[in-house]
Amino acid sequence: MDVHGRIREVLAETIREELAPEHQQLSAEDLMKALRRRGIIDDVMKELTFVTDMNDREMASTPKPSTHFVDRQAPVLQKTNIDPTRRYLYLQVLGGKAFLEHLQEPEPLPGQICSTFTLCLHFRNQRFRSKPVPCACEPDFHDGFLLEVHKDSLGDGSKMVDATTMLSICDPVHMVLIKTDTFGETTLVASYFLEWRSVLGAENRVTNVAVELLGVGTESKVSVGVLNIKLEMYPQLNKTLSQEIVNTQLALERQKTAEKERLFLVYAKQWWREYLQIRPSHNTRLVKIFAQDENGINRPVCSYVRPLRAGRLLDTPRQAARFVNVLGYERAPIIGGGGGKQEQWCTLLAFLCRNKGDCEDHANLLCSLLLGYGLEAFVCVGTKAKGVPHTWVMTCGTDGTITFWESLTGHRYIHNPINPDDPPLVEQPKPMYPYRTVGCVFNHQKFLGNCQPSDAVEVCVFDLHDESKWKPMSGEAIKSVCSPGATTSLPPFPPLCASTIDAAVISNEIELQLRILVSEHRKDLGLTTVWDDQLSYLLSPALAAYELERTTSISAGNEEFQDAIRRAVPDGHTFKGFPIHFVYRNARRAFSTCLRSPFCEEIICCRGDQVRLAVRVRVFTYPESACAVWIMFACKYRSVL
């Protein structure tokens, strides 16, 4: 029922009838009387349903159902805790316009799945995500975010942060726009740093800004669309600053940053000249001092790494390596052929929100997490087979052990250098790692160029303190542009977010979809399908053991699994099983990949006497929305030979 429309009609009528004769003032009571007279208030009261606030009720009294299918509890309403002694920035996104790429998109029908835009924000260790809205030329964003402007020092007691103090807080609001297509694939549309301090000098304490978003990578000069943003401070400022003061502060910061960056560039050029004078052949080595981010801005590579603590979301360095490995791998998109590699090192927020990135993004994140765990970690820049540029992570043990971590697979390799001067009969270690050459290594404080006679990894000695083998950059120079807060152009590192995926629900969904896909596939081949639920359940321990092995390199529980399978498969029957691992949750895509494997196809298309099929899916969730999906297909049948 159109409540608002009807109330408006009644009020208009009442005002016409009752105001005309003697132009008296109507009170709110008169209007309520008019609405009551026509029975509208009673209708509205009947229509209203109140959601019970679960927060006040004793949660312990409601027993959790045994499965996920009958869980019909009322949603727990989240309350925002607003601390009246803190200052907040209220940022509203009031729609977008001129997203011209979506000019031709038809209006989505109700219930139809369509591509969506999601806006992700990060400000001073707080992260927010908007509701997904359908992609359109004028996307219907209507979201408000309450960003807390922290008091940096807790020495002020409970004094509220004032306008002058806030003016010195140079952290921008980092906004990342993600597009999710109908298959759940994500693309990075835009990454923007919003300068929020204009609100400190706004006359009516509110400021509206139209933010023009530019594309990423090769399209970093092309406009993607415009977002309308409204900023206001809560509680309101007692006295605002003059716009002139705000502009002067911002100009000073830009000037300081530009000067620091200029000095670093001068130093880097000088360092590179010296490096080339050691050996002219050094100019072919992969010594990467600057790298372009998603907005096409050149930044020192050391600024992409910073010690990052995962809180309680990850427990061990190896678990961190597993988390980085299950984030999707995707090379930066390139327009047109030519086989060249489009270079794009993403800021951490863009990488996490998109949930996938190139090998550099993975290596930077893994190195940051390992530094957070107190290890001496470096990102190595070099090549793998066929001279393909690659980055990976290295940790140096206190006893001199060098370990390589492959961020895309989670594998670890111990490095034992080959000594080329040894006599031929001395047995040399066989390298297991895929890396061929290494040009430089870096972390948040150090940058070292490889100046050994050969840059082949197998003969490299990673004694980083030996300046005849590794040419260091000045730590002070790196600190001047890469330490947090050194320059205003450095994006702050966001914290990791806990997973929002319910592993049991998703596992069930994928399993049901796979059962339907297998049954349909067999039906097309003229075969019937009989599922064995008990056999499916018995596959669970194997999947758990595989994931444990990927994380810890220790395999456990295999004896029990084999014993259970032997009991479940009678004499004269044959059992076949095929485990496979994915980092995405699309059942149809996983199924078509499985069919490409001859082993798996043999199980799914199994013919014979008393054929029973089984499938088990187990989703393991990690921070952000990363997850490892293990699937096992199995069959047992009577061997007729």
Side-chain angles (χ1 to χ4, degrees):
M1 67 192 260
D2 177 17
V3 179
H4 291 283
R6 287 178 56 192
I7 290 177
R8 264 193 222 101
E9 281 166 27
V10 173
L11 294 184
E13 206 177 293
T14 313
I15 288 168
R16 266 203 310 279
E17 284 173 7
E18 309 199 355
L19 271 189
E22 55 280 334
H23 299 293
Q24 69 210 24
Q25 288 295 313
L26 272 183
S27 66
E29 277 84 42
D30 296 335
L31 296 176
M32 289 297 263
K33 245 183 250 157
L35 289 172
R36 270 220 183 81
R37 217 168 39 230
R38 287 170 176 74
I40 285 182
I41 287 191
D42 299 338
D43 287 354
V44 172
M45 294 309 282
K46 263 191 241 127
E47 287 290 319
L48 286 180
T49 53
F50 292 98
V51 179
T52 48
D53 185 352
M54 295 287 291
N55 296 349
D56 300 340
R57 246 195 286 154
E58 197 55 52
M59 287 300 284
S61 62
T62 51
K64 190 110 170 97
S66 56
T67 68
H68 275 70
F69 298 112
V70 290
D71 193 359
R72 290 280 173 270
Q73 295 186 0
V76 177
L77 298 179
Q78 287 203 328
K79 289 182 177 168
T80 309
N81 291 324
I82 297 187
D83 179 349
T85 65
R86 289 285 178 101
R87 186 83 71 192
Y88 293 89
L89 171 69
Y90 185 45
L91 184 151
Q92 284 169 283
V93 184
L94 305 171
K97 53 181 189 279
F99 284 78
L100 299 178
E101 201 173 305
H102 302 280
L103 197 56
Q104 305 299 330
E105 297 230 347
E107 279 282 305
L109 299 167
Q112 179 192 3
I113 297 174
C114 62
S115 301
T116 57
F117 281 140
T118 313
L119 195 62
C120 305
L121 274 74
H122 167 232
F123 178 66
R124 314 209 79 197
N125 244 18
Q126 306 156 76
R127 279 179 61 185
F128 300 88
R129 177 182 282 262
S130 74
K131 291 187 283 290
V133 300
C135 292
C137 182
E138 299 196 347
D140 189 24
F141 284 110
H142 274 281
D143 268 301
F145 306 99
L146 204 59
L147 315 178
E148 187 176 337
V149 185
H150 290 295
K151 298 173 295 194
D152 255 317
S153 57
L154 294 171
D156 333 348
S158 58
K159 203 170 71 180
M160 193 183 289
V161 56
D162 60 2
T164 325
T165 318
M166 283 194 285
L167 187 58
S168 64
I169 296 175
C170 58
D171 294 338
V173 179
H174 190 182
M175 304 164 73
V176 167
L177 184 63
I178 300 288
K179 178 184 172 182
T180 311
D181 70 11
T182 47
F183 302 107
E185 290 295 311
T186 53
T187 33
L188 177 62
V189 180
S191 168
Y192 183 82
F193 294 97
L194 175 71
E195 180 47 77
W196 56 276
R197 286 174 289 179
S198 55
V199 72
L200 300 176
E203 281 171 20
N204 49 359
R205 297 178 167 81
V206 175
T207 177
N208 288 294
V209 274
V211 166
E212 184 186 18
L213 300 177
L214 297 174
V216 293
T218 45
E219 300 168 41
S220 59
K221 303 282 182 285
V222 184
S223 175
V224 175
V226 176
L227 286 181
N228 293 321
I229 289 176
K230 182 179 175 186
L231 298 169
E232 51 190 309
M233 298 301 305
Y234 280 111
Q236 287 200 340
L237 295 169
N238 303 333
K239 63 173 203 318
T240 55
L241 304 168
S242 76
Q243 199 62 54
E244 204 178 322
I245 292 178
V246 177
N247 294 345
T248 310
Q249 170 75 11
L250 300 184
L252 271 172
E253 282 174 12
R254 278 195 295 273
Q255 199 180 329
K256 240 177 167 171
T257 295
E259 181 58 16
K260 280 183 178 176
E261 287 173 350
R262 188 188 67 77
L263 288 172
F264 181 76
L265 184 62
V266 169
Y267 170 75
K269 281 181 174 169
Q270 172 64 27
W271 183 93
W272 177 243
R273 271 198 299 276
E274 289 170 6
Y275 181 68
L276 289 185
Q277 280 166 8
I278 299 171
R279 247 181 238 103
S281 63
H282 281 181
N283 67 353
T284 59
R285 294 192 180 180
L286 282 179
V287 178
K288 194 146 194 53
I289 303 172
F290 293 94
Q292 280 195 359
D293 67 8
E294 68 265 30
N295 292 328
I297 293 165
N298 274 312
R299 296 202 282 122
V301 287
C302 299
S303 67
Y304 289 91
V305 172
R306 197 173 299 172
L308 180 65
R309 284 164 43 176
R312 299 197 182 277
L313 301 177
L314 296 166
D315 294 321
T316 65
R318 294 190 190 188
Q319 202 181 1
R322 177 64 176 150
F323 155 60
V324 175
N325 147 226
V326 297
L327 286 168
Y329 168 61
E330 182 183 80
R331 289 177 61 167
I334 187 164
I335 299 171
K341 187 172 182 289
Q342 167 64 33
E343 186 191 72
Q344 182 181 306
W345 291 33
C346 278
T347 53
L348 184 55
L349 185 68
F351 175 39
L352 294 175
C353 295
R354 201 171 103 211
N355 225 9
K356 58 185 177 190
D358 213 332
C359 66
E360 291 87 1
D361 303 327
H362 285 80
N364 289 336
L365 174 57
L366 178 56
C367 184
S368 298
L369 287 165
L370 295 182
L371 286 166
Y373 280 113
L375 301 177
E376 189 179 8
F378 293 88
V379 175
C380 303
V381 181
T383 60
K384 48 184 188 179
K386 296 181 184 163
V388 177
H390 189 63
T391 54
W392 65 96
V393 178
M394 165 183 91
T395 51
C396 309
T398 46
D399 57 355
T401 311
I402 299 294
T403 310
F404 292 150
W405 303 62
E406 176 46 67
S407 60
L408 297 178
T409 61
H411 291 159
R412 297 162 62 254
Y413 309 95
I414 301 290
H415 170 67
N416 292 313
I418 293 171
N419 186 352
D421 302 331
D422 277 345
L425 289 176
V426 174
E427 200 176 326
Q428 295 289 0
K430 269 234 167 12
M432 305 296 289
Y433 44 79
Y435 318 120
R436 292 286 179 272
T437 67
V438 57
C440 65
V441 301
F442 68 87
N443 62 17
H444 61 305
Q445 291 170 332
K446 295 178 183 169
F447 183 97
L448 301 131
N450 182 0
C451 51
Q452 295 169 58
S454 163
D455 62 351
V457 179
E458 53 189 25
V459 296
C460 261
V461 177
F462 286 90
D463 177 4
L464 302 178
H465 301 293
D466 184 346
E467 293 196 12
S468 68
K469 294 186 171 68
W470 293 92
K471 179 170 169 57
M473 252 192 191
S474 144
E476 285 303 310
I478 292 169
K479 201 172 164 187
S480 72
V481 285
C482 295
S483 67
T487 63
T488 50
S489 61
L490 281 189
F493 265 41
L496 295 183
C497 282
S499 177
T500 53
I501 297 167
D502 187 327
V505 171
I506 299 289
S507 301
N508 277 334
E509 276 177 13
I510 298 176
E511 200 169 297
L512 287 171
Q513 288 169 350
L514 286 175
R515 282 195 174 201
I516 293 164
L517 289 166
V518 171
S519 301
E520 283 176 354
H521 186 74
R522 286 177 64 85
K523 197 171 162 191
D524 292 346
L525 299 171
L527 300 168
T528 56
T529 309
V530 184
W531 293 101
D532 184 334
D533 287 344
Q534 175 61 10
L535 186 60
S536 296
Y537 179 67
L538 295 184
L539 303 175
S540 293
L543 299 181
Y546 296 145
E547 182 59 24
L548 184 70
E549 191 176 353
R550 283 287 173 102
T551 311
T552 60
S553 315
I554 299 164
S555 86
N558 203 17
E559 307 81 11
E560 294 88 343
F561 169 63
Q562 289 182 354
D563 195 57
I565 294 296
R566 285 198 189 97
R567 286 172 171 280
V569 179
D571 283 350
H573 282 62
T574 301
F575 169 83
K576 285 181 182 173
F578 177 79
I580 189 165
H581 162 256
F582 297 102
V583 295
Y584 49 79
R585 305 191 295 278
N586 184 330
R588 197 172 284 277
R589 186 175 153 198
F591 182 65
S592 61
T593 308
C594 291
L595 282 179
R596 285 192 218 122
S597 156
F599 298 109
C600 190
E601 208 233 4
E602 204 177 281
I603 292 172
I604 291 171
C605 308
C606 179
R607 297 164 183 270
D609 185 18
Q610 296 180 22
V611 176
R612 298 286 179 272
L613 289 171
V615 63
R616 189 68 170 168
V617 176
R618 175 75 167 88
V619 173
F620 295 88
T621 56
Y622 284 92
E624 301 301 320
S625 36
C627 59
V629 179
W630 283 95
I631 300 174
M632 191 160 182
F633 290 100
C635 67
K636 63 175 184 179
Y637 57 92
R638 187 158 187 188
S639 315
V640 184
L641 284 172

